[in-house]
Short mmCIF file of all heavy atoms in Angstrom, two decimals:
data_model
loop_
_atom_site.label_atom_id
_atom_site.label_comp_id
_atom_site.label_asym_id
_atom_site.label_seq_id
_atom_site.Cartn_x
_atom_site.Cartn_y
_atom_site.Cartn_z
N PHE A 11 0.83 -1.21 0.00
CA PHE A 11 0.00 0.00 0.00
C PHE A 11 0.86 1.25 0.00
O PHE A 11 0.59 2.22 -0.73
CB PHE A 11 -0.92 0.00 1.22
CG PHE A 11 -1.65 1.31 1.41
CD1 PHE A 11 -2.79 1.59 0.69
CD2 PHE A 11 -1.15 2.28 2.28
CE1 PHE A 11 -3.45 2.80 0.84
CE2 PHE A 11 -1.80 3.49 2.45
CZ PHE A 11 -2.96 3.76 1.72
N LEU A 12 1.92 1.27 0.81
CA LEU A 12 2.80 2.44 0.86
C LEU A 12 3.50 2.65 -0.48
O LEU A 12 3.66 3.80 -0.93
CB LEU A 12 3.84 2.28 1.97
CG LEU A 12 3.36 2.54 3.40
CD1 LEU A 12 4.50 2.32 4.38
CD2 LEU A 12 2.81 3.96 3.53
N LEU A 13 3.94 1.58 -1.10
CA LEU A 13 4.58 1.72 -2.41
C LEU A 13 3.63 2.37 -3.41
O LEU A 13 4.01 3.26 -4.17
CB LEU A 13 5.02 0.34 -2.92
CG LEU A 13 6.26 -0.26 -2.27
CD1 LEU A 13 6.36 -1.75 -2.59
CD2 LEU A 13 7.52 0.46 -2.74
N VAL A 14 2.37 1.92 -3.39
CA VAL A 14 1.38 2.47 -4.33
C VAL A 14 1.04 3.90 -3.96
O VAL A 14 1.04 4.80 -4.81
CB VAL A 14 0.11 1.59 -4.33
CG1 VAL A 14 -0.98 2.25 -5.18
CG2 VAL A 14 0.43 0.20 -4.87
N SER A 15 0.74 4.15 -2.69
CA SER A 15 0.27 5.48 -2.29
C SER A 15 1.38 6.51 -2.38
O SER A 15 1.12 7.67 -2.74
CB SER A 15 -0.29 5.43 -0.87
OG SER A 15 0.69 5.04 0.06
N TRP A 16 2.61 6.13 -2.07
CA TRP A 16 3.70 7.10 -2.21
C TRP A 16 3.95 7.44 -3.67
O TRP A 16 4.29 8.57 -4.00
CB TRP A 16 4.96 6.56 -1.55
CG TRP A 16 5.10 7.07 -0.14
CD1 TRP A 16 4.29 7.96 0.49
CD2 TRP A 16 6.11 6.70 0.80
NE1 TRP A 16 4.72 8.18 1.77
CE2 TRP A 16 5.83 7.42 1.98
CE3 TRP A 16 7.20 5.85 0.77
CZ2 TRP A 16 6.63 7.32 3.12
CZ3 TRP A 16 7.99 5.74 1.90
CH2 TRP A 16 7.70 6.47 3.06
N PHE A 17 3.78 6.46 -4.54
CA PHE A 17 3.90 6.83 -5.95
C PHE A 17 2.77 7.75 -6.38
O PHE A 17 2.98 8.69 -7.15
CB PHE A 17 3.91 5.61 -6.88
CG PHE A 17 3.81 6.03 -8.32
CD1 PHE A 17 4.89 6.62 -8.95
CD2 PHE A 17 2.61 5.94 -9.01
CE1 PHE A 17 4.78 7.08 -10.25
CE2 PHE A 17 2.50 6.40 -10.31
CZ PHE A 17 3.60 6.97 -10.94
N ILE A 18 1.57 7.50 -5.87
CA ILE A 18 0.44 8.35 -6.25
C ILE A 18 0.71 9.80 -5.87
O ILE A 18 0.46 10.71 -6.67
CB ILE A 18 -0.86 7.83 -5.59
CG1 ILE A 18 -1.29 6.51 -6.23
CG2 ILE A 18 -1.98 8.86 -5.71
CD1 ILE A 18 -2.45 5.84 -5.52
N THR A 19 1.21 10.04 -4.65
CA THR A 19 1.48 11.42 -4.25
C THR A 19 2.59 12.04 -5.09
O THR A 19 2.51 13.22 -5.45
CB THR A 19 1.86 11.49 -2.77
OG1 THR A 19 2.96 10.60 -2.50
CG2 THR A 19 0.70 11.11 -1.89
N SER A 20 3.61 11.25 -5.43
CA SER A 20 4.67 11.78 -6.29
C SER A 20 4.15 12.09 -7.68
O SER A 20 4.49 13.11 -8.28
CB SER A 20 5.83 10.77 -6.37
OG SER A 20 6.44 10.59 -5.13
N SER A 21 3.31 11.19 -8.20
CA SER A 21 2.73 11.42 -9.52
C SER A 21 1.78 12.61 -9.51
O SER A 21 1.75 13.43 -10.44
CB SER A 21 1.99 10.17 -10.00
OG SER A 21 1.43 10.36 -11.28
N ASP A 22 0.97 12.71 -8.44
CA ASP A 22 0.09 13.88 -8.28
C ASP A 22 0.90 15.16 -8.38
O ASP A 22 0.54 16.11 -9.09
CB ASP A 22 -0.59 13.85 -6.91
CG ASP A 22 -1.71 12.83 -6.84
OD1 ASP A 22 -2.02 12.24 -7.88
OD2 ASP A 22 -2.26 12.63 -5.75
N SER A 23 1.97 15.20 -7.61
CA SER A 23 2.82 16.40 -7.58
C SER A 23 3.39 16.69 -8.94
O SER A 23 3.42 17.84 -9.39
CB SER A 23 3.95 16.21 -6.56
OG SER A 23 3.46 15.82 -5.31
N SER A 24 3.86 15.65 -9.63
CA SER A 24 4.53 15.87 -10.91
C SER A 24 3.57 16.38 -11.98
O SER A 24 3.91 17.27 -12.76
CB SER A 24 5.21 14.59 -11.38
OG SER A 24 4.25 13.58 -11.67
N THR A 25 2.35 15.80 -12.04
CA THR A 25 1.41 16.28 -13.06
C THR A 25 0.97 17.71 -12.76
O THR A 25 0.77 18.51 -13.69
CB THR A 25 0.18 15.36 -13.13
OG1 THR A 25 -0.44 15.27 -11.84
CG2 THR A 25 0.57 13.98 -13.60
N LEU A 26 0.84 18.04 -11.48
CA LEU A 26 0.51 19.42 -11.12
C LEU A 26 1.62 20.36 -11.55
O LEU A 26 1.36 21.43 -12.13
CB LEU A 26 0.29 19.53 -9.62
CG LEU A 26 0.08 20.95 -9.07
CD1 LEU A 26 -1.19 21.56 -9.64
CD2 LEU A 26 0.04 20.95 -7.55
N VAL A 27 2.85 19.96 -11.31
CA VAL A 27 3.99 20.81 -11.66
C VAL A 27 4.12 20.96 -13.17
O VAL A 27 4.32 22.07 -13.69
CB VAL A 27 5.28 20.23 -11.05
CG1 VAL A 27 6.51 20.89 -11.67
CG2 VAL A 27 5.29 20.44 -9.54
N ILE A 28 4.03 19.86 -13.89
CA ILE A 28 4.18 19.92 -15.35
C ILE A 28 3.13 20.84 -15.96
O ILE A 28 3.45 21.71 -16.79
CB ILE A 28 4.08 18.50 -15.95
CG1 ILE A 28 5.31 17.68 -15.58
CG2 ILE A 28 3.92 18.56 -17.47
CD1 ILE A 28 5.18 16.21 -15.94
N THR A 29 1.88 20.66 -15.56
CA THR A 29 0.83 21.48 -16.15
C THR A 29 0.89 22.93 -15.67
O THR A 29 0.50 23.84 -16.40
CB THR A 29 -0.56 20.89 -15.84
OG1 THR A 29 -0.66 20.60 -14.43
CG2 THR A 29 -0.77 19.59 -16.61
N THR A 30 1.39 23.15 -14.45
CA THR A 30 1.58 24.53 -13.99
C THR A 30 2.63 25.23 -14.85
O THR A 30 2.47 26.39 -15.24
CB THR A 30 2.02 24.54 -12.51
OG1 THR A 30 0.98 24.00 -11.71
CG2 THR A 30 2.32 25.97 -12.05
N ILE A 31 3.73 24.51 -15.17
CA ILE A 31 4.77 25.08 -16.02
C ILE A 31 4.23 25.38 -17.41
O ILE A 31 4.42 26.48 -17.95
CB ILE A 31 5.97 24.12 -16.10
CG1 ILE A 31 6.68 24.02 -14.74
CG2 ILE A 31 6.96 24.58 -17.18
CD1 ILE A 31 7.78 22.98 -14.71
N LEU A 32 3.55 24.40 -18.00
CA LEU A 32 3.09 24.55 -19.38
C LEU A 32 1.92 25.51 -19.51
O LEU A 32 1.63 25.98 -20.61
CB LEU A 32 2.71 23.18 -19.95
CG LEU A 32 3.87 22.19 -20.09
CD1 LEU A 32 3.36 20.85 -20.61
CD2 LEU A 32 4.95 22.74 -21.01
N SER A 33 1.24 25.81 -18.41
CA SER A 33 0.14 26.78 -18.44
C SER A 33 0.62 28.17 -18.06
O SER A 33 -0.20 29.06 -17.79
CB SER A 33 -0.98 26.33 -17.50
OG SER A 33 -0.52 26.31 -16.15
N MET A 34 1.94 28.35 -17.99
CA MET A 34 2.55 29.66 -17.68
C MET A 34 2.21 30.12 -16.27
O MET A 34 1.99 31.30 -16.01
CB MET A 34 2.12 30.71 -18.70
CG MET A 34 2.38 30.32 -20.15
SD MET A 34 4.13 30.07 -20.51
CE MET A 34 4.74 31.74 -20.47
N GLY A 35 2.15 29.17 -15.33
CA GLY A 35 2.00 29.54 -13.93
C GLY A 35 0.63 29.36 -13.34
O GLY A 35 0.41 29.69 -12.17
N ASP A 36 -0.33 28.81 -14.10
CA ASP A 36 -1.68 28.59 -13.56
C ASP A 36 -1.60 27.48 -12.51
O ASP A 36 -1.23 26.34 -12.81
CB ASP A 36 -2.62 28.17 -14.69
CG ASP A 36 -4.05 27.97 -14.20
OD1 ASP A 36 -4.33 28.19 -13.00
OD2 ASP A 36 -4.90 27.56 -15.03
N GLU A 37 -1.95 27.79 -11.25
CA GLU A 37 -1.84 26.82 -10.17
C GLU A 37 -3.03 25.87 -10.11
O GLU A 37 -3.04 24.94 -9.30
CB GLU A 37 -1.67 27.55 -8.84
CG GLU A 37 -0.38 28.37 -8.77
CD GLU A 37 -0.21 29.07 -7.44
OE1 GLU A 37 -0.84 28.65 -6.46
OE2 GLU A 37 0.56 30.05 -7.38
N GLU A 38 -4.04 26.08 -10.95
CA GLU A 38 -5.19 25.17 -11.01
C GLU A 38 -5.46 24.85 -12.48
O GLU A 38 -6.50 25.23 -13.04
CB GLU A 38 -6.42 25.80 -10.35
CG GLU A 38 -6.29 26.06 -8.87
CD GLU A 38 -6.16 24.79 -8.05
OE1 GLU A 38 -6.58 23.71 -8.55
OE2 GLU A 38 -5.64 24.85 -6.92
N PRO A 39 -4.57 24.12 -13.15
CA PRO A 39 -4.75 23.81 -14.57
C PRO A 39 -5.91 22.86 -14.80
O PRO A 39 -6.36 22.15 -13.88
CB PRO A 39 -3.42 23.17 -14.96
CG PRO A 39 -2.87 22.63 -13.68
CD PRO A 39 -3.33 23.56 -12.61
N LEU A 40 -6.38 22.81 -16.03
CA LEU A 40 -7.52 21.96 -16.38
C LEU A 40 -7.18 20.49 -16.15
O LEU A 40 -6.05 20.05 -16.37
CB LEU A 40 -7.93 22.18 -17.83
CG LEU A 40 -8.49 23.57 -18.17
CD1 LEU A 40 -8.79 23.66 -19.66
CD2 LEU A 40 -9.75 23.85 -17.36
N ALA A 41 -8.18 19.73 -15.75
CA ALA A 41 -7.97 18.33 -15.40
C ALA A 41 -7.48 17.50 -16.57
O ALA A 41 -6.66 16.60 -16.41
CB ALA A 41 -9.28 17.74 -14.86
N ARG A 42 -7.95 17.80 -17.78
CA ARG A 42 -7.58 16.95 -18.92
C ARG A 42 -6.09 17.01 -19.21
O ARG A 42 -5.51 16.03 -19.70
CB ARG A 42 -8.40 17.34 -20.15
CG ARG A 42 -8.16 18.72 -20.71
CD ARG A 42 -8.86 18.83 -22.08
NE ARG A 42 -8.76 20.16 -22.67
CZ ARG A 42 -9.72 21.06 -22.62
NH1 ARG A 42 -10.86 20.79 -22.00
NH2 ARG A 42 -9.57 22.24 -23.19
N HIS A 43 -5.46 18.13 -18.90
CA HIS A 43 -4.02 18.22 -19.14
C HIS A 43 -3.25 17.37 -18.12
O HIS A 43 -2.24 16.75 -18.47
CB HIS A 43 -3.58 19.68 -19.06
CG HIS A 43 -4.28 20.57 -20.04
ND1 HIS A 43 -4.33 20.28 -21.39
CD2 HIS A 43 -4.98 21.73 -19.87
CE1 HIS A 43 -5.02 21.22 -22.01
NE2 HIS A 43 -5.42 22.12 -21.11
N ARG A 44 -3.73 17.34 -16.89
CA ARG A 44 -3.08 16.50 -15.88
C ARG A 44 -3.27 15.02 -16.22
O ARG A 44 -2.38 14.20 -15.97
CB ARG A 44 -3.63 16.81 -14.49
CG ARG A 44 -3.37 18.26 -14.06
CD ARG A 44 -3.73 18.49 -12.62
NE ARG A 44 -2.83 17.77 -11.73
CZ ARG A 44 -2.88 17.86 -10.40
NH1 ARG A 44 -3.78 18.62 -9.83
NH2 ARG A 44 -2.03 17.17 -9.66
N ILE A 45 -4.40 14.68 -16.81
CA ILE A 45 -4.63 13.30 -17.24
C ILE A 45 -3.64 12.92 -18.33
O ILE A 45 -3.03 11.84 -18.29
CB ILE A 45 -6.08 13.13 -17.73
CG1 ILE A 45 -7.07 13.30 -16.57
CG2 ILE A 45 -6.28 11.78 -18.42
CD1 ILE A 45 -8.52 13.33 -16.99
N PHE A 46 -3.45 13.80 -19.31
CA PHE A 46 -2.53 13.50 -20.40
C PHE A 46 -1.12 13.27 -19.89
O PHE A 46 -0.45 12.29 -20.28
CB PHE A 46 -2.54 14.66 -21.42
CG PHE A 46 -1.45 14.53 -22.45
CD1 PHE A 46 -1.60 13.69 -23.53
CD2 PHE A 46 -0.26 15.26 -22.33
CE1 PHE A 46 -0.59 13.56 -24.49
CE2 PHE A 46 0.75 15.14 -23.28
CZ PHE A 46 0.58 14.29 -24.36
N TRP A 47 -0.65 14.12 -19.00
CA TRP A 47 0.72 13.99 -18.53
C TRP A 47 0.87 12.84 -17.55
O TRP A 47 1.95 12.22 -17.46
CB TRP A 47 1.21 15.31 -17.93
CG TRP A 47 1.49 16.30 -19.02
CD1 TRP A 47 0.70 17.36 -19.38
CD2 TRP A 47 2.59 16.29 -19.91
NE1 TRP A 47 1.25 18.01 -20.45
CE2 TRP A 47 2.42 17.38 -20.80
CE3 TRP A 47 3.71 15.48 -20.06
CZ2 TRP A 47 3.33 17.66 -21.81
CZ3 TRP A 47 4.61 15.75 -21.07
CH2 TRP A 47 4.42 16.83 -21.94
N GLY A 48 -0.18 12.49 -16.84
CA GLY A 48 -0.13 11.28 -16.01
C GLY A 48 0.04 10.03 -16.86
O GLY A 48 0.82 9.13 -16.54
N ILE A 49 -0.68 9.98 -17.98
CA ILE A 49 -0.54 8.86 -18.92
C ILE A 49 0.86 8.85 -19.53
O ILE A 49 1.49 7.79 -19.67
CB ILE A 49 -1.62 8.94 -20.01
CG1 ILE A 49 -3.01 8.74 -19.39
CG2 ILE A 49 -1.36 7.91 -21.10
CD1 ILE A 49 -4.15 8.98 -20.37
N SER A 50 1.37 10.02 -19.88
CA SER A 50 2.70 10.11 -20.51
C SER A 50 3.78 9.56 -19.60
O SER A 50 4.69 8.85 -20.04
CB SER A 50 3.00 11.57 -20.86
OG SER A 50 2.07 12.08 -21.79
N ILE A 51 3.70 9.88 -18.32
CA ILE A 51 4.69 9.37 -17.36
C ILE A 51 4.64 7.85 -17.31
O ILE A 51 5.68 7.17 -17.30
CB ILE A 51 4.43 9.98 -15.97
CG1 ILE A 51 4.79 11.47 -15.96
CG2 ILE A 51 5.23 9.23 -14.90
CD1 ILE A 51 4.34 12.19 -14.71
N GLY A 52 3.44 7.28 -17.27
CA GLY A 52 3.31 5.84 -17.25
C GLY A 52 3.88 5.18 -18.50
O GLY A 52 4.54 4.14 -18.42
#
């Protein structure tokens, strides 16, 4: 469970960061962009 949940938090953070960068600083980017980058990482 810890292996899974710790990856989830790291992945959460990374998709938020990637989309924040690509949206020029928007701290609440659209969900579909976070979905795309989550898939890309996988």
